């Protein structure tokens, strides 16, 4: 997205504007009334027999000429209709007509689920059919369309059609949760804590070779022993970030593979809170979903570029899109991560954030509430595809939905086996729906982002975690995130 003119409007720029339709080229005029060489008049002949032969030849030649002329006219009509259809189609795109989403297919999907060593947890999983869960080192466990199991290790989730899984770990009034995901060749993990553990799992049949760096407030740290780091096939690598960036906060971990891919996450476990951080990616506009009301909110912005850049933060609230005080014009130094406390600028209601910058940035929200803390990584918005967001809730959750587009919309929400409900959602508005019962969650709508705020129990002091809903795995035409992230 071009940043030549700094955004000052009141709407999030979730996608590049569609350019005006180019003028249709003038069609070449058909040659009408022309006479072919074969249709020229036959000169008079002294012989009547010769005249009759000439007449017999002349008639079919003229017929062929008329037939060719009719074919040309038919061709002109077909061409005109084709051009008209193209103009109508392009005009429809320019006027905001939403193309039909790709069809849902009965495809098999495999997701990989994170773990926190030393803590007991649960996995909640769902699939249209053929649902299987396999903890590391154990046999696969088949299940019905929805199940919950105890978990204490990394695991694999397989199923057919729409597939989703969430792992949840708890300790007292602290909760950490993450959605099962696919590996990636690159990404960012952002945290406001000073003592976290980076975990990278190589699930492929080939070794992964990657570079790991840390971006803090004072610039980038590139440890020599983390360049061309090899993670053998089928192994897990854990790195204590404090060994390389001691006392640095906030910090972003950036990994970039040259060969292979990994599933990466951060574990933050301390008396101040429990958190399981999942990746985000860099873009010129990022939406941070699912921010609960009543929490302390710091927005983390990482600038991987070699030059300083400008960024701004806006909020999608219950009243619509609003500017965030003290975050309207931020300067992010090259190769660094900045933290801005925006708690006082937000209301006590649920919200989402829109971070826009001159160059691609990674963004997350660092949340604290009571004795717990959580991270909401930024997501990219598909403003035209209309692909459902799909996930699963372990219970004790709140579904937070935000309309990032500039127009009012109607969102379709399906919880568990209940009938779908329609939710009108004005432009730039965020709303919340109770999702306290375990089961599937499906959200349909163009330009909409959704996330679950997961609690450890029924009361507000039971800890919290935020898990964004991912695109439905059963949709054809979706490119896996790890392919998009492969280095050029």
């Amino acid at each position: 997205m071009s940043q030549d003119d700094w955004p000052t409007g009141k709407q999030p720029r979730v996608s590049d504007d569609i350019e005006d339709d180019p003028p249709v080229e003038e069609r070449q005029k058909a040659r009408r009334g022309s006479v072919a060489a074969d249709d020229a008049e036959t000169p008079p002949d002294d012989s009547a027999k010769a005249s009759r032969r000439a007449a017999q030849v002349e008639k079919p030649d003229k017929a062929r000429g008329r037939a060719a002329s009719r074919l040309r006219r038919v061709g002109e009509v077909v061409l005109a209709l084709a051009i008209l259809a193209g103009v109508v189609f392009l005009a429809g795109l320019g006027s905001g007509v939403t193309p039909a989403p790709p069809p849902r297919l009965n495809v098999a999907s495999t997701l990989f689920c994170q773990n926190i060593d030393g803590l007991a947890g649960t996995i909640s999983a769902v699939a249209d059919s053929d649902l299987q869960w396999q903890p590391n080192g154990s046999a696969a466990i088949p299940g019905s369309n929805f199940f919950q199991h105890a978990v204490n290790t990394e695991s694999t989730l397989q199923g057919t059609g729409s597939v989703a899984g969430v792992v949840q770990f708890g300790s007292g009034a602290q909760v950490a949760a993450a959605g099962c995901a696919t590996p990636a060749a690159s990404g960012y993990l952002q945290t406001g804590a000073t003592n976290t553990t980076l975990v990278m799992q190589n699930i492929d049949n080939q070794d992964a070779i990657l570079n790991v760096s840390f971006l803090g407030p004072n610039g980038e740290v590139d440890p020599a022993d983390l360049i061309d780091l090899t993670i053998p096939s089928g192994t897990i690598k854990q790195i204590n970030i404090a060994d390389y960036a001691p006392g640095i906060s906030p910090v972003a971990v950036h990994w970039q593979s040259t060969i292979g891919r990994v599933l990466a996450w951060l574990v933050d476990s301390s008396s101040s809170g429990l958190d399981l951080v999942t990746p985000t990616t860099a873009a010129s506009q990022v939406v941070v979903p699912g921010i609960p009301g009543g929490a302390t909110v710091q927005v983390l912005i990482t600038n991987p570029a070699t030059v300083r850049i400008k960024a701004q933060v806006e909020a999608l609230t219950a009243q619509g899109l609003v500017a965030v005080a003290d975050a309207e014009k931020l300067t992010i130094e090259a190769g660094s991560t900045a933290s801005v406390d925006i708690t006082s600028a937000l209301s006590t209601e649920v919200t989402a954030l829109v971070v826009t910058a001159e160059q691609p940035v990674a963004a997350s929200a660092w949340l604290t509430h009571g004795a717990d803390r959580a991270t909401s990584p930024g997501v990219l918005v598909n403003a035209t595809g209309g692909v459902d967001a799909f996930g699963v809730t372990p219970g004790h959750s709140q579904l937070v939905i935000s309309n990032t587009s500039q127009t009012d919309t109607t969102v379709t929400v399906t919880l568990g086996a209940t009938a779908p409900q329609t939710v009108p959602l004005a432009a730039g508005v965020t709303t919340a729906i109770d999702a306290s019962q375990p089961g599937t969650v499906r959200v349909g709508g163009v330009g909409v982002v959704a996330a679950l705020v997961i609690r450890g129990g029924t009361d507000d002091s039971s800890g919290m975690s935020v898990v964004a809903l991912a695109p439905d795995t059963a949709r054809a035409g979706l490119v896996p995130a790890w392919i998009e992230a492969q280095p050029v």
Side-chain angles (χ1 to χ4, degrees):
M1 181 179 67
S2 173
Q3 300 292 333
D4 292 339
D5 53 349
W6 182 246
T8 57
K10 296 184 178 297
Q11 299 293 347
R13 297 158 63 180
V14 296
S15 63
D16 293 336
D17 294 334
I18 298 176
E19 297 182 356
D20 293 337
D21 297 331
V24 180
E25 295 183 0
E26 183 179 356
R27 298 191 303 274
Q28 184 180 14
K29 294 183 179 180
R31 296 171 55 199
R32 297 181 179 177
S34 60
V35 180
D38 291 342
D39 290 337
E41 291 184 2
T42 304
D45 196 310
D46 293 339
S47 169
K49 184 176 181 180
S51 298
R52 286 195 298 271
R53 285 198 303 268
Q56 290 172 355
V57 171
E58 181 184 23
K59 290 180 180 179
D61 287 344
K62 288 184 177 180
R64 284 195 297 270
R66 288 193 297 269
S69 178
R70 284 195 295 269
L71 287 175
R72 284 195 298 270
R73 293 191 186 100
V74 171
E76 287 180 336
V77 173
V78 172
L79 177 61
L81 290 175
I83 293 174
L84 178 62
V87 171
V88 171
F89 174 74
L90 291 174
L93 288 180
S95 62
V97 175
T98 303
R104 293 187 65 229
L105 298 179
N106 206 32
V107 294
S109 296
T110 302
L111 302 177
F112 300 90
C113 307
Q114 307 86 344
N115 182 53
I116 299 179
D117 288 343
L119 287 181
T122 60
I123 179 172
S124 304
V126 64
D128 289 342
S129 61
D130 303 326
L131 181 59
Q132 289 191 93
W133 173 62
Q134 184 173 8
N136 277 6
S138 301
I141 302 173
S144 58
N145 293 48
F146 170 81
F147 68 70
Q148 290 182 306
H149 284 298
V151 62
N152 59 8
T153 184
E154 294 79 17
S155 56
T156 301
L157 186 65
Q158 294 179 312
T160 301
S162 301
V163 182
V166 167
V167 289
Q168 178 180 339
F169 302 89
S171 176
Q174 299 175 344
V175 171
C180 301
T182 55
S186 67
Y188 295 85
L189 295 158
Q190 297 173 299
T191 179
T194 58
N195 187 20
T196 56
T197 301
L198 169 62
V199 185
M200 293 179 289
Q201 180 183 11
N202 180 4
I203 53 84
D204 289 331
N205 293 325
Q206 66 172 348
D207 293 350
I209 301 176
L210 48 91
N211 300 323
V212 178
S213 59
F214 307 98
L215 294 85
N218 299 318
E220 188 170 355
V221 178
D222 298 290
D225 59 336
L226 298 184
I227 296 175
D228 290 335
L229 175 66
T230 298
I231 302 180
S233 170
T235 65
I236 296 173
K237 175 74 173 179
Q238 295 192 11
I239 297 174
N240 186 0
I241 295 179
D243 292 342
Y244 298 94
I248 294 180
S249 174
V251 65
V253 179
H254 178 222
W255 86 93
Q256 176 68 66
S257 299
T258 55
I259 297 176
R261 53 183 186 152
V262 294
L263 186 71
W265 67 94
L266 294 179
V267 175
D268 168 30
S269 181
S270 69
S271 58
S272 302
L274 180 67
D275 193 23
L276 205 165
V277 181
T278 54
T280 184
T281 188
S284 56
Q285 187 170 77
V286 178
V287 177
V288 182
I291 299 176
T296 299
V297 182
Q298 297 178 63
V299 58
L300 310 182
I301 304 176
T302 298
N303 171 21
T306 57
V307 295
R308 68 173 59 173
I309 62 170
K310 300 290 186 181
Q312 71 171 11
V313 182
E314 297 169 294
L316 302 166
T317 70
Q319 290 73 40
L321 181 72
V322 298
V324 176
D326 301 325
E328 297 173 284
K329 291 185 178 180
L330 302 173
T331 299
I332 316 297
E333 297 296 331
S336 70
T337 298
S339 174
V340 182
D341 193 322
I342 60 173
T343 306
S344 60
L346 302 179
S347 68
T348 58
E349 301 171 317
V350 293
T351 187
L353 303 177
V354 180
V355 180
T356 307
E358 297 173 312
Q359 298 284 341
V361 296
S364 299
W366 177 246
L367 314 168
T368 58
H369 187 277
D372 201 13
R373 55 196 184 196
T375 303
S376 176
V379 299
L380 305 184
V381 179
N382 184 348
T384 60
V387 175
D388 291 350
F390 185 73
V392 58
T393 170
H396 305 303
S397 302
Q398 186 181 41
L399 176 63
V400 181
I401 308 170
S402 302
N403 178 7
T404 69
S405 70
Q406 302 180 22
T407 58
D408 298 349
T409 189
T410 298
V411 181
T412 303
V413 179
T414 306
L415 299 174
T418 62
Q421 56 179 305
T422 56
V423 180
L425 201 59
V429 166
T430 295
T431 190
I433 297 175
D434 179 71
S436 57
Q437 298 302 313
T440 61
V441 180
R442 182 181 293 277
V443 177
V446 177
V448 172
V449 297
L452 289 166
V453 178
I454 299 173
R455 305 284 184 178
T458 56
D459 61 274
D460 194 44
S461 61
S462 58
M464 66 173 182
S465 195
V466 179
V467 176
L469 300 190
D472 187 356
T473 57
R475 289 294 185 185
L478 291 180
V479 178
W482 75 271
I483 294 178
E484 293 178 325
Q486 287 283 6
V488 178

